[in-house]
Amino acid sequence: MTETIINLESINPIEFFGVNNGKLDILKKKFPLLKILSRGTQIKLSGAPEQIETAREKIDLLVQYLERNGHLSENYFEQILGGDDAETIDHFKDRNPNDILVFGPNGKTVRARTANQKRLVQAADKNDILFAIGPAGTGKTYTAVALAVRALKNKIVKKIILTRPAVEAGESLGFLPGDLKEKIDPYLRPLYDALDDMIPADKLGYYMSTRVIEIAPLAYMRGRTLDNAFIILDEAQNATDLQLKMFLTRIGANAKAIITGDLTQVDLPKNQKSGLDKAIRILKHVDGIAHIELDEEDVVRHRLVKAIIRAYDKEHQVEQVRIEGHHRQA
């Protein structure tokens, strides 16, 4: 019997072992012939040399992934452990160590952190229009803003335009004091937050004052032609059919657009229908337009966000079955 100790000091051990050692239990089930113990930032393996070597290779792959991404879902944890074919292993390896999208203030690096976020980046590089659809917390808006900032820094575009439909999510901001900009800014706050992570405050202020970076509600896009720009339409599920058509036909020469949205979070009044689903459907086969789906495995917020999304999805499915059953009885 052989023993070996692996240090995990370069990563967050909780992300490796999981809450209540959930991921550690998965590791133990994968290697039942090994005795596996966790000790702080170390993991101790005891058993046959060939088993230890195989486990070490898998653990190294897990550590590499966590060093790059900071987060590893249980699903990906199992995929890395269970994928013995070369294609699966290559998928999770750091094939491109220079995949950083943006260097933010104070040396912060911004990069695609999950498999679907990486697909989003690849699709955006190959297409001029991209629909990125998924629930809250999957990084679709953040990744899109990073791509826009990268394009501006690399002089691929001359300006960034970030827009959202100004639709109230169940609350009314009309009573708030201030001018139109001050009333609308709360809707656009997530876009400001993303930019703060990627551009130093003084430079961002300069870009905003010179309209190199413009943040505006969707209604302000009407009548414009957007050339040499990287345009992001965020929360597109709250755009009507006519608004989405208006936005898509604003795109001019040397422009790129990413449309993000979550079809389960429509905040439009009941008499208005979201145009996002229709736009995806009718533009699906247009050359130069791509569509990427993100899901709960891409959530990089608090670990409970993933569980919350799953619970709501399950309840939505139950409600759909109940509605269909009611229609059949009627």
Side-chain angles (χ1 to χ4, degrees), residues 222-258:
R222 192 173 299 278
R224 299 178 62 181
T225 300
L226 306 172
D227 295 331
N228 301 305
F230 201 117
I231 314 136
I232 297 172
L233 171 58
D234 194 33
E235 300 286 356
Q237 76 276 3
N238 290 329
T240 64
D241 186 25
L242 287 175
Q243 285 176 323
L244 255 175
K245 182 182 176 184
M246 177 274 292
F247 171 81
L248 290 166
T249 53
R250 298 307 92 203
I251 297 164
N254 191 38
K256 277 185 172 285
I258 296 182

PDB file of all heavy atoms in Angstrom, residues 222-258:
ATOM      1  N   ARG A 222     -34.318  53.927 -31.582  1.00  0.00           N
ATOM      2  CA  ARG A 222     -35.166  54.108 -32.758  1.00  0.00           C
ATOM      3  C   ARG A 222     -34.602  55.198 -33.675  1.00  0.00           C
ATOM      4  O   ARG A 222     -34.178  56.258 -33.218  1.00  0.00           O
ATOM      5  CB  ARG A 222     -36.589  54.482 -32.313  1.00  0.00           C
ATOM      6  CG  ARG A 222     -37.614  54.419 -33.429  1.00  0.00           C
ATOM      7  CD  ARG A 222     -39.014  54.632 -32.887  1.00  0.00           C
ATOM      8  NE  ARG A 222     -39.378  53.601 -31.923  1.00  0.00           N
ATOM      9  CZ  ARG A 222     -39.837  52.400 -32.236  1.00  0.00           C
ATOM     10  NH1 ARG A 222     -39.962  52.071 -33.522  1.00  0.00           N
ATOM     11  NH2 ARG A 222     -40.159  51.542 -31.303  1.00  0.00           N
ATOM     12  N   GLY A 223     -34.563  54.903 -34.961  1.00  0.00           N
ATOM     13  CA  GLY A 223     -34.136  55.886 -35.941  1.00  0.00           C
ATOM     14  C   GLY A 223     -32.638  55.992 -36.141  1.00  0.00           C
ATOM     15  O   GLY A 223     -32.172  56.740 -37.001  1.00  0.00           O
ATOM     16  N   ARG A 224     -31.857  55.228 -35.363  1.00  0.00           N
ATOM     17  CA  ARG A 224     -30.407  55.323 -35.464  1.00  0.00           C
ATOM     18  C   ARG A 224     -29.844  54.210 -36.355  1.00  0.00           C
ATOM     19  O   ARG A 224     -30.464  53.174 -36.530  1.00  0.00           O
ATOM     20  CB  ARG A 224     -29.766  55.221 -34.080  1.00  0.00           C
ATOM     21  CG  ARG A 224     -30.191  56.306 -33.125  1.00  0.00           C
ATOM     22  CD  ARG A 224     -29.567  56.140 -31.763  1.00  0.00           C
ATOM     23  NE  ARG A 224     -28.109  56.224 -31.793  1.00  0.00           N
ATOM     24  CZ  ARG A 224     -27.340  56.087 -30.732  1.00  0.00           C
ATOM     25  NH1 ARG A 224     -27.872  55.828 -29.548  1.00  0.00           N
ATOM     26  NH2 ARG A 224     -26.029  56.184 -30.837  1.00  0.00           N
ATOM     27  N   THR A 225     -28.660  54.456 -36.917  1.00  0.00           N
ATOM     28  CA  THR A 225     -27.899  53.402 -37.582  1.00  0.00           C
ATOM     29  C   THR A 225     -26.598  53.258 -36.815  1.00  0.00           C
ATOM     30  O   THR A 225     -25.851  54.236 -36.652  1.00  0.00           O
ATOM     31  CB  THR A 225     -27.608  53.761 -39.049  1.00  0.00           C
ATOM     32  OG1 THR A 225     -28.855  53.946 -39.729  1.00  0.00           O
ATOM     33  CG2 THR A 225     -26.830  52.647 -39.724  1.00  0.00           C
ATOM     34  N   LEU A 226     -26.316  52.064 -36.331  1.00  0.00           N
ATOM     35  CA  LEU A 226     -25.208  51.849 -35.403  1.00  0.00           C
ATOM     36  C   LEU A 226     -24.040  51.192 -36.145  1.00  0.00           C
ATOM     37  O   LEU A 226     -23.997  49.975 -36.311  1.00  0.00           O
ATOM     38  CB  LEU A 226     -25.676  50.995 -34.223  1.00  0.00           C
ATOM     39  CG  LEU A 226     -26.932  51.545 -33.500  1.00  0.00           C
ATOM     40  CD1 LEU A 226     -27.428  50.554 -32.477  1.00  0.00           C
ATOM     41  CD2 LEU A 226     -26.653  52.889 -32.863  1.00  0.00           C
ATOM     42  N   ASP A 227     -23.100  52.024 -36.604  1.00  0.00           N
ATOM     43  CA  ASP A 227     -21.919  51.550 -37.321  1.00  0.00           C
ATOM     44  C   ASP A 227     -20.728  51.436 -36.368  1.00  0.00           C
ATOM     45  O   ASP A 227     -20.644  52.144 -35.362  1.00  0.00           O
ATOM     46  CB  ASP A 227     -21.543  52.523 -38.447  1.00  0.00           C
ATOM     47  CG  ASP A 227     -22.604  52.611 -39.536  1.00  0.00           C
ATOM     48  OD1 ASP A 227     -23.305  51.611 -39.744  1.00  0.00           O
ATOM     49  OD2 ASP A 227     -22.724  53.687 -40.148  1.00  0.00           O
ATOM     50  N   ASN A 228     -19.785  50.556 -36.722  1.00  0.00           N
ATOM     51  CA  ASN A 228     -18.517  50.430 -35.977  1.00  0.00           C
ATOM     52  C   ASN A 228     -18.746  50.333 -34.468  1.00  0.00           C
ATOM     53  O   ASN A 228     -18.030  50.952 -33.682  1.00  0.00           O
ATOM     54  CB  ASN A 228     -17.606  51.633 -36.290  1.00  0.00           C
ATOM     55  CG  ASN A 228     -17.300  51.737 -37.764  1.00  0.00           C
ATOM     56  OD1 ASN A 228     -16.809  50.790 -38.373  1.00  0.00           O
ATOM     57  ND2 ASN A 228     -17.632  52.877 -38.359  1.00  0.00           N
ATOM     58  N   ALA A 229     -19.743  49.548 -34.086  1.00  0.00           N
ATOM     59  CA  ALA A 229     -20.123  49.479 -32.673  1.00  0.00           C
ATOM     60  C   ALA A 229     -20.319  48.034 -32.236  1.00  0.00           C
ATOM     61  O   ALA A 229     -20.629  47.154 -33.043  1.00  0.00           O
ATOM     62  CB  ALA A 229     -21.407  50.270 -32.427  1.00  0.00           C
ATOM     63  N   PHE A 230     -20.117  47.820 -30.954  1.00  0.00           N
ATOM     64  CA  PHE A 230     -20.476  46.544 -30.319  1.00  0.00           C
ATOM     65  C   PHE A 230     -21.708  46.852 -29.472  1.00  0.00           C
ATOM     66  O   PHE A 230     -21.642  47.632 -28.525  1.00  0.00           O
ATOM     67  CB  PHE A 230     -19.329  46.031 -29.446  1.00  0.00           C
ATOM     68  CG  PHE A 230     -19.391  44.546 -29.166  1.00  0.00           C
ATOM     69  CD1 PHE A 230     -18.392  43.700 -29.611  1.00  0.00           C
ATOM     70  CD2 PHE A 230     -20.468  43.997 -28.471  1.00  0.00           C
ATOM     71  CE1 PHE A 230     -18.444  42.324 -29.374  1.00  0.00           C
ATOM     72  CE2 PHE A 230     -20.526  42.638 -28.223  1.00  0.00           C
ATOM     73  CZ  PHE A 230     -19.509  41.794 -28.672  1.00  0.00           C
ATOM     74  N   ILE A 231     -22.825  46.249 -29.839  1.00  0.00           N
ATOM     75  CA  ILE A 231     -24.110  46.593 -29.222  1.00  0.00           C
ATOM     76  C   ILE A 231     -24.618  45.399 -28.416  1.00  0.00           C
ATOM     77  O   ILE A 231     -24.627  44.268 -28.909  1.00  0.00           O
ATOM     78  CB  ILE A 231     -25.153  46.967 -30.295  1.00  0.00           C
ATOM     79  CG1 ILE A 231     -24.545  47.925 -31.318  1.00  0.00           C
ATOM     80  CG2 ILE A 231     -26.383  47.574 -29.661  1.00  0.00           C
ATOM     81  CD1 ILE A 231     -24.892  47.588 -32.735  1.00  0.00           C
ATOM     82  N   ILE A 232     -25.038  45.654 -27.198  1.00  0.00           N
ATOM     83  CA  ILE A 232     -25.612  44.601 -26.359  1.00  0.00           C
ATOM     84  C   ILE A 232     -27.026  45.007 -25.975  1.00  0.00           C
ATOM     85  O   ILE A 232     -27.241  46.088 -25.412  1.00  0.00           O
ATOM     86  CB  ILE A 232     -24.777  44.368 -25.083  1.00  0.00           C
ATOM     87  CG1 ILE A 232     -23.372  43.870 -25.453  1.00  0.00           C
ATOM     88  CG2 ILE A 232     -25.469  43.360 -24.159  1.00  0.00           C
ATOM     89  CD1 ILE A 232     -22.428  43.790 -24.267  1.00  0.00           C
ATOM     90  N   LEU A 233     -27.984  44.167 -26.302  1.00  0.00           N
ATOM     91  CA  LEU A 233     -29.353  44.332 -25.824  1.00  0.00           C
ATOM     92  C   LEU A 233     -29.548  43.343 -24.690  1.00  0.00           C
ATOM     93  O   LEU A 233     -29.578  42.134 -24.907  1.00  0.00           O
ATOM     94  CB  LEU A 233     -30.367  44.088 -26.947  1.00  0.00           C
ATOM     95  CG  LEU A 233     -31.837  44.017 -26.507  1.00  0.00           C
ATOM     96  CD1 LEU A 233     -32.269  45.285 -25.796  1.00  0.00           C
ATOM     97  CD2 LEU A 233     -32.750  43.743 -27.711  1.00  0.00           C
ATOM     98  N   ASP A 234     -29.661  43.862 -23.479  1.00  0.00           N
ATOM     99  CA  ASP A 234     -29.802  43.026 -22.285  1.00  0.00           C
ATOM    100  C   ASP A 234     -31.273  42.918 -21.906  1.00  0.00           C
ATOM    101  O   ASP A 234     -32.080  43.802 -22.245  1.00  0.00           O
ATOM    102  CB  ASP A 234     -28.993  43.662 -21.144  1.00  0.00           C
ATOM    103  CG  ASP A 234     -28.802  42.721 -19.968  1.00  0.00           C
ATOM    104  OD1 ASP A 234     -28.702  41.500 -20.201  1.00  0.00           O
ATOM    105  OD2 ASP A 234     -28.736  43.206 -18.833  1.00  0.00           O
ATOM    106  N   GLU A 235     -31.636  41.852 -21.211  1.00  0.00           N
ATOM    107  CA  GLU A 235     -33.025  41.624 -20.775  1.00  0.00           C
ATOM    108  C   GLU A 235     -33.992  41.698 -21.958  1.00  0.00           C
ATOM    109  O   GLU A 235     -35.072  42.284 -21.876  1.00  0.00           O
ATOM    110  CB  GLU A 235     -33.429  42.643 -19.704  1.00  0.00           C
ATOM    111  CG  GLU A 235     -32.581  42.617 -18.450  1.00  0.00           C
ATOM    112  CD  GLU A 235     -32.865  41.417 -17.557  1.00  0.00           C
ATOM    113  OE1 GLU A 235     -33.788  40.631 -17.873  1.00  0.00           O
ATOM    114  OE2 GLU A 235     -32.167  41.255 -16.545  1.00  0.00           O
ATOM    115  N   ALA A 236     -33.599  41.061 -23.062  1.00  0.00           N
ATOM    116  CA  ALA A 236     -34.385  41.171 -24.297  1.00  0.00           C
ATOM    117  C   ALA A 236     -35.747  40.491 -24.205  1.00  0.00           C
ATOM    118  O   ALA A 236     -36.609  40.724 -25.056  1.00  0.00           O
ATOM    119  CB  ALA A 236     -33.589  40.588 -25.466  1.00  0.00           C
ATOM    120  N   GLN A 237     -35.953  39.660 -23.171  1.00  0.00           N
ATOM    121  CA  GLN A 237     -37.279  39.050 -23.006  1.00  0.00           C
ATOM    122  C   GLN A 237     -38.349  40.110 -22.726  1.00  0.00           C
ATOM    123  O   GLN A 237     -39.540  39.857 -22.887  1.00  0.00           O
ATOM    124  CB  GLN A 237     -37.269  37.996 -21.882  1.00  0.00           C
ATOM    125  CG  GLN A 237     -37.274  38.547 -20.463  1.00  0.00           C
ATOM    126  CD  GLN A 237     -35.879  38.904 -19.980  1.00  0.00           C
ATOM    127  OE1 GLN A 237     -34.916  38.793 -20.728  1.00  0.00           O
ATOM    128  NE2 GLN A 237     -35.776  39.324 -18.731  1.00  0.00           N
ATOM    129  N   ASN A 238     -37.912  41.307 -22.314  1.00  0.00           N
ATOM    130  CA  ASN A 238     -38.850  42.391 -22.036  1.00  0.00           C
ATOM    131  C   ASN A 238     -38.998  43.348 -23.217  1.00  0.00           C
ATOM    132  O   ASN A 238     -39.514  44.453 -23.055  1.00  0.00           O
ATOM    133  CB  ASN A 238     -38.405  43.169 -20.790  1.00  0.00           C
ATOM    134  CG  ASN A 238     -38.586  42.349 -19.522  1.00  0.00           C
ATOM    135  OD1 ASN A 238     -39.498  41.531 -19.439  1.00  0.00           O
ATOM    136  ND2 ASN A 238     -37.722  42.539 -18.555  1.00  0.00           N
ATOM    137  N   ALA A 239     -38.548  42.916 -24.385  1.00  0.00           N
ATOM    138  CA  ALA A 239     -38.760  43.683 -25.615  1.00  0.00           C
ATOM    139  C   ALA A 239     -39.898  43.051 -26.407  1.00  0.00           C
ATOM    140  O   ALA A 239     -40.001  41.828 -26.507  1.00  0.00           O
ATOM    141  CB  ALA A 239     -37.486  43.701 -26.457  1.00  0.00           C
ATOM    142  N   THR A 240     -40.761  43.868 -26.961  1.00  0.00           N
ATOM    143  CA  THR A 240     -41.853  43.354 -27.780  1.00  0.00           C
ATOM    144  C   THR A 240     -41.307  42.953 -29.152  1.00  0.00           C
ATOM    145  O   THR A 240     -40.155  43.230 -29.491  1.00  0.00           O
ATOM    146  CB  THR A 240     -42.945  44.421 -27.964  1.00  0.00           C
ATOM    147  OG1 THR A 240     -42.388  45.526 -28.683  1.00  0.00           O
ATOM    148  CG2 THR A 240     -43.467  44.906 -26.616  1.00  0.00           C
ATOM    149  N   ASP A 241     -42.163  42.334 -29.942  1.00  0.00           N
ATOM    150  CA  ASP A 241     -41.782  41.907 -31.294  1.00  0.00           C
ATOM    151  C   ASP A 241     -41.302  43.100 -32.131  1.00  0.00           C
ATOM    152  O   ASP A 241     -40.246  43.048 -32.772  1.00  0.00           O
ATOM    153  CB  ASP A 241     -43.000  41.245 -31.951  1.00  0.00           C
ATOM    154  CG  ASP A 241     -42.666  40.641 -33.307  1.00  0.00           C
ATOM    155  OD1 ASP A 241     -41.485  40.301 -33.523  1.00  0.00           O
ATOM    156  OD2 ASP A 241     -43.573  40.520 -34.138  1.00  0.00           O
ATOM    157  N   LEU A 242     -42.043  44.199 -32.088  1.00  0.00           N
ATOM    158  CA  LEU A 242     -41.685  45.379 -32.875  1.00  0.00           C
ATOM    159  C   LEU A 242     -40.393  46.015 -32.369  1.00  0.00           C
ATOM    160  O   LEU A 242     -39.565  46.480 -33.164  1.00  0.00           O
ATOM    161  CB  LEU A 242     -42.826  46.405 -32.844  1.00  0.00           C
ATOM    162  CG  LEU A 242     -44.068  46.045 -33.670  1.00  0.00           C
ATOM    163  CD1 LEU A 242     -45.168  47.081 -33.460  1.00  0.00           C
ATOM    164  CD2 LEU A 242     -43.720  45.934 -35.146  1.00  0.00           C
ATOM    165  N   GLN A 243     -40.198  46.045 -31.056  1.00  0.00           N
ATOM    166  CA  GLN A 243     -38.973  46.613 -30.495  1.00  0.00           C
ATOM    167  C   GLN A 243     -37.745  45.807 -30.908  1.00  0.00           C
ATOM    168  O   GLN A 243     -36.702  46.376 -31.255  1.00  0.00           O
ATOM    169  CB  GLN A 243     -39.071  46.667 -28.970  1.00  0.00           C
ATOM    170  CG  GLN A 243     -39.964  47.769 -28.437  1.00  0.00           C
ATOM    171  CD  GLN A 243     -40.090  47.714 -26.930  1.00  0.00           C
ATOM    172  OE1 GLN A 243     -40.140  46.637 -26.327  1.00  0.00           O
ATOM    173  NE2 GLN A 243     -40.141  48.875 -26.301  1.00  0.00           N
ATOM    174  N   LEU A 244     -37.860  44.475 -30.872  1.00  0.00           N
ATOM    175  CA  LEU A 244     -36.724  43.629 -31.247  1.00  0.00           C
ATOM    176  C   LEU A 244     -36.395  43.786 -32.727  1.00  0.00           C
ATOM    177  O   LEU A 244     -35.228  43.864 -33.109  1.00  0.00           O
ATOM    178  CB  LEU A 244     -37.024  42.167 -30.919  1.00  0.00           C
ATOM    179  CG  LEU A 244     -36.306  41.610 -29.693  1.00  0.00           C
ATOM    180  CD1 LEU A 244     -36.762  40.199 -29.397  1.00  0.00           C
ATOM    181  CD2 LEU A 244     -34.794  41.636 -29.878  1.00  0.00           C
ATOM    182  N   LYS A 245     -37.439  43.840 -33.556  1.00  0.00           N
ATOM    183  CA  LYS A 245     -37.210  44.048 -34.991  1.00  0.00           C
ATOM    184  C   LYS A 245     -36.536  45.400 -35.217  1.00  0.00           C
ATOM    185  O   LYS A 245     -35.593  45.523 -36.014  1.00  0.00           O
ATOM    186  CB  LYS A 245     -38.530  43.971 -35.756  1.00  0.00           C
ATOM    187  CG  LYS A 245     -38.348  44.135 -37.256  1.00  0.00           C
ATOM    188  CD  LYS A 245     -39.687  44.108 -37.989  1.00  0.00           C
ATOM    189  CE  LYS A 245     -39.492  44.367 -39.481  1.00  0.00           C
ATOM    190  NZ  LYS A 245     -40.791  44.434 -40.197  1.00  0.00           N
ATOM    191  N   MET A 246     -37.010  46.430 -34.505  1.00  0.00           N
ATOM    192  CA  MET A 246     -36.409  47.759 -34.607  1.00  0.00           C
ATOM    193  C   MET A 246     -34.935  47.711 -34.227  1.00  0.00           C
ATOM    194  O   MET A 246     -34.081  48.242 -34.934  1.00  0.00           O
ATOM    195  CB  MET A 246     -37.155  48.740 -33.692  1.00  0.00           C
ATOM    196  CG  MET A 246     -36.582  50.149 -33.636  1.00  0.00           C
ATOM    197  SD  MET A 246     -35.240  50.381 -32.411  1.00  0.00           S
ATOM    198  CE  MET A 246     -36.151  50.203 -30.875  1.00  0.00           C
ATOM    199  N   PHE A 247     -34.624  47.025 -33.121  1.00  0.00           N
ATOM    200  CA  PHE A 247     -33.234  46.957 -32.659  1.00  0.00           C
ATOM    201  C   PHE A 247     -32.354  46.239 -33.681  1.00  0.00           C
ATOM    202  O   PHE A 247     -31.279  46.725 -34.055  1.00  0.00           O
ATOM    203  CB  PHE A 247     -33.162  46.236 -31.314  1.00  0.00           C
ATOM    204  CG  PHE A 247     -31.753  45.931 -30.880  1.00  0.00           C
ATOM    205  CD1 PHE A 247     -30.966  46.900 -30.287  1.00  0.00           C
ATOM    206  CD2 PHE A 247     -31.205  44.664 -31.078  1.00  0.00           C
ATOM    207  CE1 PHE A 247     -29.660  46.638 -29.903  1.00  0.00           C
ATOM    208  CE2 PHE A 247     -29.901  44.382 -30.694  1.00  0.00           C
ATOM    209  CZ  PHE A 247     -29.128  45.376 -30.110  1.00  0.00           C
ATOM    210  N   LEU A 248     -32.791  45.079 -34.133  1.00  0.00           N
ATOM    211  CA  LEU A 248     -31.979  44.268 -35.043  1.00  0.00           C
ATOM    212  C   LEU A 248     -31.726  44.975 -36.366  1.00  0.00           C
ATOM    213  O   LEU A 248     -30.694  44.745 -37.005  1.00  0.00           O
ATOM    214  CB  LEU A 248     -32.660  42.919 -35.276  1.00  0.00           C
ATOM    215  CG  LEU A 248     -32.665  41.966 -34.070  1.00  0.00           C
ATOM    216  CD1 LEU A 248     -33.635  40.817 -34.288  1.00  0.00           C
ATOM    217  CD2 LEU A 248     -31.258  41.440 -33.797  1.00  0.00           C
ATOM    218  N   THR A 249     -32.645  45.839 -36.780  1.00  0.00           N
ATOM    219  CA  THR A 249     -32.463  46.547 -38.051  1.00  0.00           C
ATOM    220  C   THR A 249     -31.689  47.860 -37.879  1.00  0.00           C
ATOM    221  O   THR A 249     -31.514  48.601 -38.851  1.00  0.00           O
ATOM    222  CB  THR A 249     -33.825  46.822 -38.717  1.00  0.00           C
ATOM    223  OG1 THR A 249     -34.690  47.496 -37.794  1.00  0.00           O
ATOM    224  CG2 THR A 249     -34.475  45.517 -39.150  1.00  0.00           C
ATOM    225  N   ARG A 250     -31.231  48.158 -36.655  1.00  0.00           N
ATOM    226  CA  ARG A 250     -30.367  49.339 -36.429  1.00  0.00           C
ATOM    227  C   ARG A 250     -28.905  49.018 -36.762  1.00  0.00           C
ATOM    228  O   ARG A 250     -28.091  49.919 -36.925  1.00  0.00           O
ATOM    229  CB  ARG A 250     -30.393  49.783 -34.956  1.00  0.00           C
ATOM    230  CG  ARG A 250     -31.697  50.237 -34.346  1.00  0.00           C
ATOM    231  CD  ARG A 250     -32.380  51.314 -35.137  1.00  0.00           C
ATOM    232  NE  ARG A 250     -33.303  50.705 -36.092  1.00  0.00           N
ATOM    233  CZ  ARG A 250     -33.726  51.291 -37.204  1.00  0.00           C
ATOM    234  NH1 ARG A 250     -33.264  52.476 -37.540  1.00  0.00           N
ATOM    235  NH2 ARG A 250     -34.564  50.694 -38.013  1.00  0.00           N
ATOM    236  N   ILE A 251     -28.564  47.741 -36.818  1.00  0.00           N
ATOM    237  CA  ILE A 251     -27.165  47.327 -36.891  1.00  0.00           C
ATOM    238  C   ILE A 251     -26.569  47.701 -38.241  1.00  0.00           C
ATOM    239  O   ILE A 251     -27.092  47.335 -39.295  1.00  0.00           O
ATOM    240  CB  ILE A 251     -27.054  45.812 -36.632  1.00  0.00           C
ATOM    241  CG1 ILE A 251     -27.530  45.520 -35.204  1.00  0.00           C
ATOM    242  CG2 ILE A 251     -25.628  45.321 -36.817  1.00  0.00           C
ATOM    243  CD1 ILE A 251     -27.839  44.075 -34.938  1.00  0.00           C
ATOM    244  N   GLY A 252     -25.453  48.468 -38.194  1.00  0.00           N
ATOM    245  CA  GLY A 252     -24.845  48.975 -39.418  1.00  0.00           C
ATOM    246  C   GLY A 252     -23.549  48.264 -39.767  1.00  0.00           C
ATOM    247  O   GLY A 252     -23.275  47.146 -39.305  1.00  0.00           O
ATOM    248  N   ALA A 253     -22.728  48.932 -40.554  1.00  0.00           N
ATOM    249  CA  ALA A 253     -21.475  48.356 -41.033  1.00  0.00           C
ATOM    250  C   ALA A 253     -20.490  48.157 -39.886  1.00  0.00           C
ATOM    251  O   ALA A 253     -20.418  48.966 -38.957  1.00  0.00           O
ATOM    252  CB  ALA A 253     -20.873  49.279 -42.086  1.00  0.00           C
ATOM    253  N   ASN A 254     -19.740  47.059 -39.945  1.00  0.00           N
ATOM    254  CA  ASN A 254     -18.720  46.723 -38.950  1.00  0.00           C
ATOM    255  C   ASN A 254     -19.275  46.788 -37.530  1.00  0.00           C
ATOM    256  O   ASN A 254     -18.670  47.370 -36.622  1.00  0.00           O
ATOM    257  CB  ASN A 254     -17.504  47.655 -39.079  1.00  0.00           C
ATOM    258  CG  ASN A 254     -16.333  47.154 -38.237  1.00  0.00           C
ATOM    259  OD1 ASN A 254     -16.099  45.954 -38.138  1.00  0.00           O
ATOM    260  ND2 ASN A 254     -15.626  48.070 -37.598  1.00  0.00           N
ATOM    261  N   ALA A 255     -20.435  46.193 -37.351  1.00  0.00           N
ATOM    262  CA  ALA A 255     -21.062  46.170 -36.024  1.00  0.00           C
ATOM    263  C   ALA A 255     -21.313  44.734 -35.597  1.00  0.00           C
ATOM    264  O   ALA A 255     -21.510  43.838 -36.421  1.00  0.00           O
ATOM    265  CB  ALA A 255     -22.369  46.950 -36.035  1.00  0.00           C
ATOM    266  N   LYS A 256     -21.268  44.526 -34.292  1.00  0.00           N
ATOM    267  CA  LYS A 256     -21.621  43.242 -33.696  1.00  0.00           C
ATOM    268  C   LYS A 256     -22.699  43.469 -32.649  1.00  0.00           C
ATOM    269  O   LYS A 256     -22.734  44.533 -32.001  1.00  0.00           O
ATOM    270  CB  LYS A 256     -20.400  42.598 -33.023  1.00  0.00           C
ATOM    271  CG  LYS A 256     -19.483  41.833 -33.972  1.00  0.00           C
ATOM    272  CD  LYS A 256     -18.380  41.134 -33.215  1.00  0.00           C
ATOM    273  CE  LYS A 256     -17.573  40.203 -34.103  1.00  0.00           C
ATOM    274  NZ  LYS A 256     -18.263  38.960 -34.441  1.00  0.00           N
ATOM    275  N   ALA A 257     -23.575  42.482 -32.474  1.00  0.00           N
ATOM    276  CA  ALA A 257     -24.633  42.615 -31.479  1.00  0.00           C
ATOM    277  C   ALA A 257     -24.811  41.308 -30.723  1.00  0.00           C
ATOM    278  O   ALA A 257     -24.781  40.225 -31.315  1.00  0.00           O
ATOM    279  CB  ALA A 257     -25.944  43.014 -32.146  1.00  0.00           C
ATOM    280  N   ILE A 258     -24.975  41.425 -29.413  1.00  0.00           N
ATOM    281  CA  ILE A 258     -25.340  40.281 -28.577  1.00  0.00           C
ATOM    282  C   ILE A 258     -26.656  40.618 -27.883  1.00  0.00           C
ATOM    283  O   ILE A 258     -26.791  41.689 -27.276  1.00  0.00           O
ATOM    284  CB  ILE A 258     -24.250  39.956 -27.540  1.00  0.00           C
ATOM    285  CG1 ILE A 258     -22.955  39.531 -28.238  1.00  0.00           C
ATOM    286  CG2 ILE A 258     -24.724  38.842 -26.602  1.00  0.00           C
ATOM    287  CD1 ILE A 258     -21.829  39.137 -27.286  1.00  0.00           C
TER     288      ILE A 258
END
